[in-house]
Amino acid sequence: MTEQNPNETTYCDLPEDFFFGAALSGPQTEGMWQAHGKLENMWDFWSNQDIRAFHNRVGSYAGNDMGARYAEDYELLASLGLSSARTSIQWTRLIDANGKLNREGADFYHEMFTAARKAGIEVFVNLYHFDMPAYLFRRGGWENREVIEAYAHYARIAFAEFGQEIVHWFTFNEPIVEPEQRYAHGNWFPFVHDFGRARNVQYNISLAHSLAVLAFRELQAAGAVREDAKIGLINCFTPPYTRENPTEADLEAVRMADGIDNRWWLDLVTKGTLPADVIETLAERGVVLATRPGDEAILAQGKVDWLGFNYYQPTRVQAPARDTDEQGDPCFFDPYVWPDAVMNKSRGWEIYPKGIYDFAMTMTRDYPELDWFVSENGIGIEEDHAKRTEDGRIDDLAYRVPFVRDHLRWVARAIEEGARCRGYHYWGVIDCWSWNNAYKNRYGFVEVSLQENYDRRLKASAEWLREVTHTHHIA
Ligand code: BGP
């Protein structure tokens, strides 16, 4: 993708049937980490092992109390004009240690989904949001084929249990994140730095996704999943950019970054294959995937009905300064620091609204049949609470509104130019727990007060959001 100046765009109307909603996840909202016979997931395990790894020592037990408040929370979301919300079932709440349905956990989700429906919110269900059960991690996690089978088994149980209730399903949220955070960069437990292991985890997750899609199709054909149900995948796609006047080597860096982060998943969900050029280059550089006979037929099942596109920041890369790193792993690209980048300093992420448009147009060109929606977008700010005005409300108008407005305008333009984008889910409409950052950066249009028992309070931007969801006009 060639760099262009991040000009503003003036498109400000979204189609009438464009939907607005909230992106959530089970582990970041529910709390109740030991209720309903829930087993320990990787976050619970890590919190117990080393609470200092979490901002202000707030571990995975926190959520944002939505497990207790879901009825009022879904009403709150509806009052902002939202019509849908994506959350995840927690594998550790739904399945017991013997791999059987945990009735108490299932009932919790049935009750929550019913409350959402009553409030006028359609729940989209995702099956996995970085929350591997700890007992399966001890057996190798995504590096073990048995765990792939265990995931497919869990998916089958979830489809059968909620198949008459849920229309929109997703197999994974951001399947690129665990390979990167846990296995390549060593930021998350188990802190591995191994490019080859990361790619094998990525490969195994691709198989797990495909097996879940297969289970979905089979159950739908058998009538256990409703006829109008759809299955998809959600990933954080990142339009890759490089320097102006790139060298051949810079463009090669773009090809591989794009290949691993984006085309890998896009090819899987539209063609049921992985990008041959990427696999070939990996093999040439000694990164061998532990494939088995029959894998191709499994991957071929991975085609989905639509896609979720999480967008926070672009990727900027350049030719790597060296061929291999200190442990002999191949380097395919280095980060490129764009001198004009505007940063969200709280999160360390670049703010580049035009990236959402650029990637939308790439999908329109290269995957023209694919329907999609913006499944996450948002801005997490550390100083949110410092903007409290005399009436006690946080005034976030100066940063949250421009962030969302600019992204939505580029979405509007992409739709105008043919992109098949159906809706927009904002990440963390109600402040929630953010992995290691816990409650450091706040994303919400609604504040969660940790001092006052997780009480909710609208921020100033909530009025703006309500206006947009009602008018579909991005003022
Ligand atoms: C996405 C995840 C979410 C959420 C969001 C914000 O990558 O799908 O779970 O956390 O990013 O990121 P963070 O919480 O790290 O600030």
Side-chain angles (χ1 to χ4, degrees), residues 415-438:
I415 293 173
E416 195 66 32
E417 293 177 16
R420 298 172 69 129
C421 177
R422 306 302 180 209
Y424 176 92
H425 279 186
Y426 183 83
W427 172 258
V429 172
I430 302 174
D431 286 343
C432 67
W433 183 78
S434 275
W435 316 116
N436 293 81
N437 285 331

mmCIF file with all atom_site columns, all heavy atoms in Angstrom, residues 415-438:
data_model
loop_
_atom_site.group_PDB
_atom_site.id
_atom_site.type_symbol
_atom_site.label_atom_id
_atom_site.label_alt_id
_atom_site.label_comp_id
_atom_site.label_asym_id
_atom_site.label_entity_id
_atom_site.label_seq_id
_atom_site.pdbx_PDB_ins_code
_atom_site.Cartn_x
_atom_site.Cartn_y
_atom_site.Cartn_z
_atom_site.occupancy
_atom_site.B_iso_or_equiv
_atom_site.pdbx_formal_charge
_atom_site.auth_seq_id
_atom_site.auth_comp_id
_atom_site.auth_asym_id
_atom_site.auth_atom_id
_atom_site.pdbx_PDB_model_num
ATOM 1   N N   . ILE A 1 415 ? -17.695 3.133   2.006  1.00 0.00 ? 415 ILE A N   1
ATOM 2   C CA  . ILE A 1 415 ? -18.990 2.558   1.593  1.00 0.00 ? 415 ILE A CA  1
ATOM 3   C C   . ILE A 1 415 ? -19.449 3.220   0.301  1.00 0.00 ? 415 ILE A C   1
ATOM 4   O O   . ILE A 1 415 ? -19.886 2.557   -0.641 1.00 0.00 ? 415 ILE A O   1
ATOM 5   C CB  . ILE A 1 415 ? -20.040 2.713   2.718  1.00 0.00 ? 415 ILE A CB  1
ATOM 6   C CG1 . ILE A 1 415 ? -19.640 1.840   3.913  1.00 0.00 ? 415 ILE A CG1 1
ATOM 7   C CG2 . ILE A 1 415 ? -21.436 2.352   2.220  1.00 0.00 ? 415 ILE A CG2 1
ATOM 8   C CD1 . ILE A 1 415 ? -20.499 2.030   5.149  1.00 0.00 ? 415 ILE A CD1 1
ATOM 9   N N   . GLU A 1 416 ? -19.314 4.522   0.255  1.00 0.00 ? 416 GLU A N   1
ATOM 10  C CA  . GLU A 1 416 ? -19.676 5.275   -0.944 1.00 0.00 ? 416 GLU A CA  1
ATOM 11  C C   . GLU A 1 416 ? -18.917 4.737   -2.166 1.00 0.00 ? 416 GLU A C   1
ATOM 12  O O   . GLU A 1 416 ? -19.428 4.699   -3.268 1.00 0.00 ? 416 GLU A O   1
ATOM 13  C CB  . GLU A 1 416 ? -19.310 6.751   -0.692 1.00 0.00 ? 416 GLU A CB  1
ATOM 14  C CG  . GLU A 1 416 ? -19.899 7.747   -1.625 1.00 0.00 ? 416 GLU A CG  1
ATOM 15  C CD  . GLU A 1 416 ? -21.410 7.858   -1.514 1.00 0.00 ? 416 GLU A CD  1
ATOM 16  O OE1 . GLU A 1 416 ? -21.934 7.659   -0.398 1.00 0.00 ? 416 GLU A OE1 1
ATOM 17  O OE2 . GLU A 1 416 ? -22.049 8.114   -2.554 1.00 0.00 ? 416 GLU A OE2 1
ATOM 18  N N   . GLU A 1 417 ? -17.697 4.281   -1.935 1.00 0.00 ? 417 GLU A N   1
ATOM 19  C CA  . GLU A 1 417 ? -16.867 3.795   -3.046 1.00 0.00 ? 417 GLU A CA  1
ATOM 20  C C   . GLU A 1 417 ? -16.940 2.277   -3.188 1.00 0.00 ? 417 GLU A C   1
ATOM 21  O O   . GLU A 1 417 ? -16.077 1.666   -3.814 1.00 0.00 ? 417 GLU A O   1
ATOM 22  C CB  . GLU A 1 417 ? -15.418 4.272   -2.843 1.00 0.00 ? 417 GLU A CB  1
ATOM 23  C CG  . GLU A 1 417 ? -15.334 5.796   -2.970 1.00 0.00 ? 417 GLU A CG  1
ATOM 24  C CD  . GLU A 1 417 ? -13.933 6.352   -2.709 1.00 0.00 ? 417 GLU A CD  1
ATOM 25  O OE1 . GLU A 1 417 ? -12.950 5.580   -2.730 1.00 0.00 ? 417 GLU A OE1 1
ATOM 26  O OE2 . GLU A 1 417 ? -13.835 7.569   -2.474 1.00 0.00 ? 417 GLU A OE2 1
ATOM 27  N N   . GLY A 1 418 ? -17.940 1.663   -2.588 1.00 0.00 ? 418 GLY A N   1
ATOM 28  C CA  . GLY A 1 418 ? -18.198 0.249   -2.872 1.00 0.00 ? 418 GLY A CA  1
ATOM 29  C C   . GLY A 1 418 ? -17.833 -0.747  -1.790 1.00 0.00 ? 418 GLY A C   1
ATOM 30  O O   . GLY A 1 418 ? -18.045 -1.954  -1.967 1.00 0.00 ? 418 GLY A O   1
ATOM 31  N N   . ALA A 1 419 ? -17.294 -0.301  -0.654 1.00 0.00 ? 419 ALA A N   1
ATOM 32  C CA  . ALA A 1 419 ? -16.922 -1.263  0.394  1.00 0.00 ? 419 ALA A CA  1
ATOM 33  C C   . ALA A 1 419 ? -18.168 -1.887  1.018  1.00 0.00 ? 419 ALA A C   1
ATOM 34  O O   . ALA A 1 419 ? -19.172 -1.207  1.225  1.00 0.00 ? 419 ALA A O   1
ATOM 35  C CB  . ALA A 1 419 ? -16.099 -0.560  1.477  1.00 0.00 ? 419 ALA A CB  1
ATOM 36  N N   . ARG A 1 420 ? -18.078 -3.193  1.319  1.00 0.00 ? 420 ARG A N   1
ATOM 37  C CA  . ARG A 1 420 ? -19.254 -3.910  1.841  1.00 0.00 ? 420 ARG A CA  1
ATOM 38  C C   . ARG A 1 420 ? -19.244 -3.902  3.369  1.00 0.00 ? 420 ARG A C   1
ATOM 39  O O   . ARG A 1 420 ? -19.320 -4.937  4.018  1.00 0.00 ? 420 ARG A O   1
ATOM 40  C CB  . ARG A 1 420 ? -19.254 -5.334  1.298  1.00 0.00 ? 420 ARG A CB  1
ATOM 41  C CG  . ARG A 1 420 ? -19.364 -5.344  -0.220 1.00 0.00 ? 420 ARG A CG  1
ATOM 42  C CD  . ARG A 1 420 ? -19.162 -6.729  -0.787 1.00 0.00 ? 420 ARG A CD  1
ATOM 43  N NE  . ARG A 1 420 ? -20.272 -7.599  -0.444 1.00 0.00 ? 420 ARG A NE  1
ATOM 44  C CZ  . ARG A 1 420 ? -20.941 -8.338  -1.311 1.00 0.00 ? 420 ARG A CZ  1
ATOM 45  N NH1 . ARG A 1 420 ? -20.638 -8.275  -2.608 1.00 0.00 ? 420 ARG A NH1 1
ATOM 46  N NH2 . ARG A 1 420 ? -21.899 -9.136  -0.913 1.00 0.00 ? 420 ARG A NH2 1
ATOM 47  N N   . CYS A 1 421 ? -19.124 -2.725  3.927  1.00 0.00 ? 421 CYS A N   1
ATOM 48  C CA  . CYS A 1 421 ? -19.085 -2.585  5.384  1.00 0.00 ? 421 CYS A CA  1
ATOM 49  C C   . CYS A 1 421 ? -20.499 -2.371  5.910  1.00 0.00 ? 421 CYS A C   1
ATOM 50  O O   . CYS A 1 421 ? -21.183 -1.454  5.484  1.00 0.00 ? 421 CYS A O   1
ATOM 51  C CB  . CYS A 1 421 ? -18.198 -1.388  5.752  1.00 0.00 ? 421 CYS A CB  1
ATOM 52  S SG  . CYS A 1 421 ? -18.175 -1.103  7.529  1.00 0.00 ? 421 CYS A SG  1
ATOM 53  N N   . ARG A 1 422 ? -20.909 -3.235  6.840  1.00 0.00 ? 422 ARG A N   1
ATOM 54  C CA  . ARG A 1 422 ? -22.317 -3.241  7.284  1.00 0.00 ? 422 ARG A CA  1
ATOM 55  C C   . ARG A 1 422 ? -22.556 -2.520  8.605  1.00 0.00 ? 422 ARG A C   1
ATOM 56  O O   . ARG A 1 422 ? -23.698 -2.261  8.958  1.00 0.00 ? 422 ARG A O   1
ATOM 57  C CB  . ARG A 1 422 ? -22.820 -4.688  7.412  1.00 0.00 ? 422 ARG A CB  1
ATOM 58  C CG  . ARG A 1 422 ? -22.634 -5.533  6.171  1.00 0.00 ? 422 ARG A CG  1
ATOM 59  C CD  . ARG A 1 422 ? -23.344 -4.907  4.981  1.00 0.00 ? 422 ARG A CD  1
ATOM 60  N NE  . ARG A 1 422 ? -23.192 -5.706  3.768  1.00 0.00 ? 422 ARG A NE  1
ATOM 61  C CZ  . ARG A 1 422 ? -23.195 -5.196  2.540  1.00 0.00 ? 422 ARG A CZ  1
ATOM 62  N NH1 . ARG A 1 422 ? -23.297 -3.890  2.350  1.00 0.00 ? 422 ARG A NH1 1
ATOM 63  N NH2 . ARG A 1 422 ? -23.079 -5.977  1.481  1.00 0.00 ? 422 ARG A NH2 1
ATOM 64  N N   . GLY A 1 423 ? -21.491 -2.283  9.380  1.00 0.00 ? 423 GLY A N   1
ATOM 65  C CA  . GLY A 1 423 ? -21.740 -1.656  10.678 1.00 0.00 ? 423 GLY A CA  1
ATOM 66  C C   . GLY A 1 423 ? -20.450 -1.329  11.413 1.00 0.00 ? 423 GLY A C   1
ATOM 67  O O   . GLY A 1 423 ? -19.340 -1.531  10.883 1.00 0.00 ? 423 GLY A O   1
ATOM 68  N N   . TYR A 1 424 ? -20.620 -0.845  12.627 1.00 0.00 ? 424 TYR A N   1
ATOM 69  C CA  . TYR A 1 424 ? -19.481 -0.364  13.418 1.00 0.00 ? 424 TYR A CA  1
ATOM 70  C C   . TYR A 1 424 ? -19.730 -0.681  14.883 1.00 0.00 ? 424 TYR A C   1
ATOM 71  O O   . TYR A 1 424 ? -20.761 -0.305  15.446 1.00 0.00 ? 424 TYR A O   1
ATOM 72  C CB  . TYR A 1 424 ? -19.375 1.154   13.223 1.00 0.00 ? 424 TYR A CB  1
ATOM 73  C CG  . TYR A 1 424 ? -18.312 1.859   14.044 1.00 0.00 ? 424 TYR A CG  1
ATOM 74  C CD1 . TYR A 1 424 ? -17.031 2.060   13.528 1.00 0.00 ? 424 TYR A CD1 1
ATOM 75  C CD2 . TYR A 1 424 ? -18.601 2.367   15.310 1.00 0.00 ? 424 TYR A CD2 1
ATOM 76  C CE1 . TYR A 1 424 ? -16.066 2.747   14.279 1.00 0.00 ? 424 TYR A CE1 1
ATOM 77  C CE2 . TYR A 1 424 ? -17.639 3.048   16.055 1.00 0.00 ? 424 TYR A CE2 1
ATOM 78  C CZ  . TYR A 1 424 ? -16.375 3.237   15.529 1.00 0.00 ? 424 TYR A CZ  1
ATOM 79  O OH  . TYR A 1 424 ? -15.429 3.915   16.255 1.00 0.00 ? 424 TYR A OH  1
ATOM 80  N N   . HIS A 1 425 ? -18.800 -1.407  15.490 1.00 0.00 ? 425 HIS A N   1
ATOM 81  C CA  . HIS A 1 425 ? -18.839 -1.655  16.929 1.00 0.00 ? 425 HIS A CA  1
ATOM 82  C C   . HIS A 1 425 ? -17.684 -0.900  17.580 1.00 0.00 ? 425 HIS A C   1
ATOM 83  O O   . HIS A 1 425 ? -16.526 -1.096  17.192 1.00 0.00 ? 425 HIS A O   1
ATOM 84  C CB  . HIS A 1 425 ? -18.686 -3.154  17.232 1.00 0.00 ? 425 HIS A CB  1
ATOM 85  C CG  . HIS A 1 425 ? -19.959 -3.927  17.079 1.00 0.00 ? 425 HIS A CG  1
ATOM 86  N ND1 . HIS A 1 425 ? -20.070 -5.255  17.417 1.00 0.00 ? 425 HIS A ND1 1
ATOM 87  C CD2 . HIS A 1 425 ? -21.189 -3.567  16.640 1.00 0.00 ? 425 HIS A CD2 1
ATOM 88  C CE1 . HIS A 1 425 ? -21.313 -5.671  17.199 1.00 0.00 ? 425 HIS A CE1 1
ATOM 89  N NE2 . HIS A 1 425 ? -21.998 -4.672  16.719 1.00 0.00 ? 425 HIS A NE2 1
ATOM 90  N N   . TYR A 1 426 ? -18.013 -0.102  18.567 1.00 0.00 ? 426 TYR A N   1
ATOM 91  C CA  . TYR A 1 426 ? -16.979 0.619   19.306 1.00 0.00 ? 426 TYR A CA  1
ATOM 92  C C   . TYR A 1 426 ? -16.455 -0.283  20.420 1.00 0.00 ? 426 TYR A C   1
ATOM 93  O O   . TYR A 1 426 ? -17.248 -0.923  21.121 1.00 0.00 ? 426 TYR A O   1
ATOM 94  C CB  . TYR A 1 426 ? -17.563 1.919   19.898 1.00 0.00 ? 426 TYR A CB  1
ATOM 95  C CG  . TYR A 1 426 ? -16.522 2.746   20.615 1.00 0.00 ? 426 TYR A CG  1
ATOM 96  C CD1 . TYR A 1 426 ? -15.690 3.610   19.914 1.00 0.00 ? 426 TYR A CD1 1
ATOM 97  C CD2 . TYR A 1 426 ? -16.353 2.622   21.995 1.00 0.00 ? 426 TYR A CD2 1
ATOM 98  C CE1 . TYR A 1 426 ? -14.714 4.348   20.575 1.00 0.00 ? 426 TYR A CE1 1
ATOM 99  C CE2 . TYR A 1 426 ? -15.374 3.357   22.656 1.00 0.00 ? 426 TYR A CE2 1
ATOM 100 C CZ  . TYR A 1 426 ? -14.556 4.212   21.936 1.00 0.00 ? 426 TYR A CZ  1
ATOM 101 O OH  . TYR A 1 426 ? -13.584 4.932   22.584 1.00 0.00 ? 426 TYR A OH  1
ATOM 102 N N   . TRP A 1 427 ? -15.126 -0.317  20.578 1.00 0.00 ? 427 TRP A N   1
ATOM 103 C CA  . TRP A 1 427 ? -14.551 -1.135  21.656 1.00 0.00 ? 427 TRP A CA  1
ATOM 104 C C   . TRP A 1 427 ? -14.744 -0.462  23.010 1.00 0.00 ? 427 TRP A C   1
ATOM 105 O O   . TRP A 1 427 ? -14.364 0.702   23.189 1.00 0.00 ? 427 TRP A O   1
ATOM 106 C CB  . TRP A 1 427 ? -13.049 -1.403  21.454 1.00 0.00 ? 427 TRP A CB  1
ATOM 107 C CG  . TRP A 1 427 ? -12.520 -2.065  22.708 1.00 0.00 ? 427 TRP A CG  1
ATOM 108 C CD1 . TRP A 1 427 ? -11.797 -1.472  23.706 1.00 0.00 ? 427 TRP A CD1 1
ATOM 109 C CD2 . TRP A 1 427 ? -12.771 -3.412  23.128 1.00 0.00 ? 427 TRP A CD2 1
ATOM 110 N NE1 . TRP A 1 427 ? -11.580 -2.374  24.717 1.00 0.00 ? 427 TRP A NE1 1
ATOM 111 C CE2 . TRP A 1 427 ? -12.175 -3.577  24.392 1.00 0.00 ? 427 TRP A CE2 1
ATOM 112 C CE3 . TRP A 1 427 ? -13.448 -4.500  22.559 1.00 0.00 ? 427 TRP A CE3 1
ATOM 113 C CZ2 . TRP A 1 427 ? -12.221 -4.779  25.104 1.00 0.00 ? 427 TRP A CZ2 1
ATOM 114 C CZ3 . TRP A 1 427 ? -13.496 -5.696  23.263 1.00 0.00 ? 427 TRP A CZ3 1
ATOM 115 C CH2 . TRP A 1 427 ? -12.884 -5.823  24.512 1.00 0.00 ? 427 TRP A CH2 1
ATOM 116 N N   . GLY A 1 428 ? -15.312 -1.224  23.953 1.00 0.00 ? 428 GLY A N   1
ATOM 117 C CA  . GLY A 1 428 ? -15.359 -0.748  25.331 1.00 0.00 ? 428 GLY A CA  1
ATOM 118 C C   . GLY A 1 428 ? -16.265 0.450   25.510 1.00 0.00 ? 428 GLY A C   1
ATOM 119 O O   . GLY A 1 428 ? -15.852 1.439   26.110 1.00 0.00 ? 428 GLY A O   1
ATOM 120 N N   . VAL A 1 429 ? -17.491 0.393   24.969 1.00 0.00 ? 429 VAL A N   1
ATOM 121 C CA  . VAL A 1 429 ? -18.433 1.516   25.143 1.00 0.00 ? 429 VAL A CA  1
ATOM 122 C C   . VAL A 1 429 ? -18.543 1.846   26.628 1.00 0.00 ? 429 VAL A C   1
ATOM 123 O O   . VAL A 1 429 ? -18.579 3.007   27.029 1.00 0.00 ? 429 VAL A O   1
ATOM 124 C CB  . VAL A 1 429 ? -19.821 1.150   24.554 1.00 0.00 ? 429 VAL A CB  1
ATOM 125 C CG1 . VAL A 1 429 ? -20.843 2.213   24.907 1.00 0.00 ? 429 VAL A CG1 1
ATOM 126 C CG2 . VAL A 1 429 ? -19.734 0.974   23.042 1.00 0.00 ? 429 VAL A CG2 1
ATOM 127 N N   . ILE A 1 430 ? -18.579 0.787   27.441 1.00 0.00 ? 430 ILE A N   1
ATOM 128 C CA  . ILE A 1 430 ? -18.518 0.959   28.896 1.00 0.00 ? 430 ILE A CA  1
ATOM 129 C C   . ILE A 1 430 ? -17.090 0.582   29.298 1.00 0.00 ? 430 ILE A C   1
ATOM 130 O O   . ILE A 1 430 ? -16.624 -0.511  28.928 1.00 0.00 ? 430 ILE A O   1
ATOM 131 C CB  . ILE A 1 430 ? -19.532 0.031   29.600 1.00 0.00 ? 430 ILE A CB  1
ATOM 132 C CG1 . ILE A 1 430 ? -20.954 0.318   29.089 1.00 0.00 ? 430 ILE A CG1 1
ATOM 133 C CG2 . ILE A 1 430 ? -19.445 0.177   31.115 1.00 0.00 ? 430 ILE A CG2 1
ATOM 134 C CD1 . ILE A 1 430 ? -22.022 -0.643  29.601 1.00 0.00 ? 430 ILE A CD1 1
ATOM 135 N N   . ASP A 1 431 ? -16.364 1.456   29.994 1.00 0.00 ? 431 ASP A N   1
ATOM 136 C CA  . ASP A 1 431 ? -14.977 1.147   30.389 1.00 0.00 ? 431 ASP A CA  1
ATOM 137 C C   . ASP A 1 431 ? -14.869 -0.300  30.855 1.00 0.00 ? 431 ASP A C   1
ATOM 138 O O   . ASP A 1 431 ? -15.755 -0.801  31.569 1.00 0.00 ? 431 ASP A O   1
ATOM 139 C CB  . ASP A 1 431 ? -14.559 2.011   31.600 1.00 0.00 ? 431 ASP A CB  1
ATOM 140 C CG  . ASP A 1 431 ? -14.283 3.459   31.251 1.00 0.00 ? 431 ASP A CG  1
ATOM 141 O OD1 . ASP A 1 431 ? -14.086 3.779   30.065 1.00 0.00 ? 431 ASP A OD1 1
ATOM 142 O OD2 . ASP A 1 431 ? -14.268 4.281   32.196 1.00 0.00 ? 431 ASP A OD2 1
ATOM 143 N N   . CYS A 1 432 ? -13.770 -0.954  30.491 1.00 0.00 ? 432 CYS A N   1
ATOM 144 C CA  . CYS A 1 432 ? -13.619 -2.347  30.944 1.00 0.00 ? 432 CYS A CA  1
ATOM 145 C C   . CYS A 1 432 ? -12.152 -2.660  31.227 1.00 0.00 ? 432 CYS A C   1
ATOM 146 O O   . CYS A 1 432 ? -11.273 -1.827  31.017 1.00 0.00 ? 432 CYS A O   1
ATOM 147 C CB  . CYS A 1 432 ? -14.212 -3.312  29.920 1.00 0.00 ? 432 CYS A CB  1
ATOM 148 S SG  . CYS A 1 432 ? -13.320 -3.357  28.381 1.00 0.00 ? 432 CYS A SG  1
ATOM 149 N N   . TRP A 1 433 ? -11.930 -3.876  31.670 1.00 0.00 ? 433 TRP A N   1
ATOM 150 C CA  . TRP A 1 433 ? -10.585 -4.337  32.044 1.00 0.00 ? 433 TRP A CA  1
ATOM 151 C C   . TRP A 1 433 ? -9.801  -4.682  30.778 1.00 0.00 ? 433 TRP A C   1
ATOM 152 O O   . TRP A 1 433 ? -10.309 -5.380  29.905 1.00 0.00 ? 433 TRP A O   1
ATOM 153 C CB  . TRP A 1 433 ? -10.724 -5.578  32.939 1.00 0.00 ? 433 TRP A CB  1
ATOM 154 C CG  . TRP A 1 433 ? -9.441  -6.134  33.455 1.00 0.00 ? 433 TRP A CG  1
ATOM 155 C CD1 . TRP A 1 433 ? -8.702  -5.656  34.486 1.00 0.00 ? 433 TRP A CD1 1
ATOM 156 C CD2 . TRP A 1 433 ? -8.769  -7.315  32.994 1.00 0.00 ? 433 TRP A CD2 1
ATOM 157 N NE1 . TRP A 1 433 ? -7.599  -6.456  34.695 1.00 0.00 ? 433 TRP A NE1 1
ATOM 158 C CE2 . TRP A 1 433 ? -7.619  -7.479  33.789 1.00 0.00 ? 433 TRP A CE2 1
ATOM 159 C CE3 . TRP A 1 433 ? -9.017  -8.252  31.971 1.00 0.00 ? 433 TRP A CE3 1
ATOM 160 C CZ2 . TRP A 1 433 ? -6.721  -8.534  33.603 1.00 0.00 ? 433 TRP A CZ2 1
ATOM 161 C CZ3 . TRP A 1 433 ? -8.129  -9.296  31.773 1.00 0.00 ? 433 TRP A CZ3 1
ATOM 162 C CH2 . TRP A 1 433 ? -6.988  -9.431  32.598 1.00 0.00 ? 433 TRP A CH2 1
ATOM 163 N N   . SER A 1 434 ? -8.571  -4.155  30.697 1.00 0.00 ? 434 SER A N   1
ATOM 164 C CA  . SER A 1 434 ? -7.783  -4.328  29.471 1.00 0.00 ? 434 SER A CA  1
ATOM 165 C C   . SER A 1 434 ? -6.502  -5.109  29.704 1.00 0.00 ? 434 SER A C   1
ATOM 166 O O   . SER A 1 434 ? -5.414  -4.541  29.681 1.00 0.00 ? 434 SER A O   1
ATOM 167 C CB  . SER A 1 434 ? -7.416  -2.961  28.887 1.00 0.00 ? 434 SER A CB  1
ATOM 168 O OG  . SER A 1 434 ? -8.437  -2.470  28.095 1.00 0.00 ? 434 SER A OG  1
ATOM 169 N N   . TRP A 1 435 ? -6.590  -6.406  29.942 1.00 0.00 ? 435 TRP A N   1
ATOM 170 C CA  . TRP A 1 435 ? -5.422  -7.270  30.041 1.00 0.00 ? 435 TRP A CA  1
ATOM 171 C C   . TRP A 1 435 ? -4.388  -6.673  31.000 1.00 0.00 ? 435 TRP A C   1
ATOM 172 O O   . TRP A 1 435 ? -4.747  -6.221  32.069 1.00 0.00 ? 435 TRP A O   1
ATOM 173 C CB  . TRP A 1 435 ? -4.836  -7.549  28.634 1.00 0.00 ? 435 TRP A CB  1
ATOM 174 C CG  . TRP A 1 435 ? -5.920  -7.852  27.630 1.00 0.00 ? 435 TRP A CG  1
ATOM 175 C CD1 . TRP A 1 435 ? -6.235  -7.122  26.529 1.00 0.00 ? 435 TRP A CD1 1
ATOM 176 C CD2 . TRP A 1 435 ? -6.857  -8.958  27.643 1.00 0.00 ? 435 TRP A CD2 1
ATOM 177 N NE1 . TRP A 1 435 ? -7.304  -7.686  25.858 1.00 0.00 ? 435 TRP A NE1 1
ATOM 178 C CE2 . TRP A 1 435 ? -7.696  -8.819  26.514 1.00 0.00 ? 435 TRP A CE2 1
ATOM 179 C CE3 . TRP A 1 435 ? -7.085  -10.056 28.486 1.00 0.00 ? 435 TRP A CE3 1
ATOM 180 C CZ2 . TRP A 1 435 ? -8.726  -9.710  26.209 1.00 0.00 ? 435 TRP A CZ2 1
ATOM 181 C CZ3 . TRP A 1 435 ? -8.110  -10.950 28.192 1.00 0.00 ? 435 TRP A CZ3 1
ATOM 182 C CH2 . TRP A 1 435 ? -8.895  -10.768 27.070 1.00 0.00 ? 435 TRP A CH2 1
ATOM 183 N N   . ASN A 1 436 ? -3.115  -6.613  30.600 1.00 0.00 ? 436 ASN A N   1
ATOM 184 C CA  . ASN A 1 436 ? -2.095  -6.082  31.520 1.00 0.00 ? 436 ASN A CA  1
ATOM 185 C C   . ASN A 1 436 ? -2.325  -4.636  31.907 1.00 0.00 ? 436 ASN A C   1
ATOM 186 O O   . ASN A 1 436 ? -1.922  -4.197  32.976 1.00 0.00 ? 436 ASN A O   1
ATOM 187 C CB  . ASN A 1 436 ? -0.700  -6.141  30.896 1.00 0.00 ? 436 ASN A CB  1
ATOM 188 C CG  . ASN A 1 436 ? -0.271  -7.540  30.731 1.00 0.00 ? 436 ASN A CG  1
ATOM 189 O OD1 . ASN A 1 436 ? -0.677  -8.169  29.762 1.00 0.00 ? 436 ASN A OD1 1
ATOM 190 N ND2 . ASN A 1 436 ? 0.484   -8.051  31.666 1.00 0.00 ? 436 ASN A ND2 1
ATOM 191 N N   . ASN A 1 437 ? -2.951  -3.892  31.008 1.00 0.00 ? 437 ASN A N   1
ATOM 192 C CA  . ASN A 1 437 ? -3.184  -2.477  31.322 1.00 0.00 ? 437 ASN A CA  1
ATOM 193 C C   . ASN A 1 437 ? -4.346  -2.296  32.287 1.00 0.00 ? 437 ASN A C   1
ATOM 194 O O   . ASN A 1 437 ? -4.572  -1.172  32.754 1.00 0.00 ? 437 ASN A O   1
ATOM 195 C CB  . ASN A 1 437 ? -3.438  -1.673  30.047 1.00 0.00 ? 437 ASN A CB  1
ATOM 196 C CG  . ASN A 1 437 ? -2.149  -1.440  29.284 1.00 0.00 ? 437 ASN A CG  1
ATOM 197 O OD1 . ASN A 1 437 ? -1.080  -1.379  29.897 1.00 0.00 ? 437 ASN A OD1 1
ATOM 198 N ND2 . ASN A 1 437 ? -2.236  -1.333  27.979 1.00 0.00 ? 437 ASN A ND2 1
ATOM 199 N N   . ALA A 1 438 ? -5.065  -3.369  32.546 1.00 0.00 ? 438 ALA A N   1
ATOM 200 C CA  . ALA A 1 438 ? -6.184  -3.334  33.504 1.00 0.00 ? 438 ALA A CA  1
ATOM 201 C C   . ALA A 1 438 ? -7.061  -2.100  33.246 1.00 0.00 ? 438 ALA A C   1
ATOM 202 O O   . ALA A 1 438 ? -7.618  -1.967  32.172 1.00 0.00 ? 438 ALA A O   1
ATOM 203 C CB  . ALA A 1 438 ? -5.660  -3.400  34.930 1.00 0.00 ? 438 ALA A CB  1
#
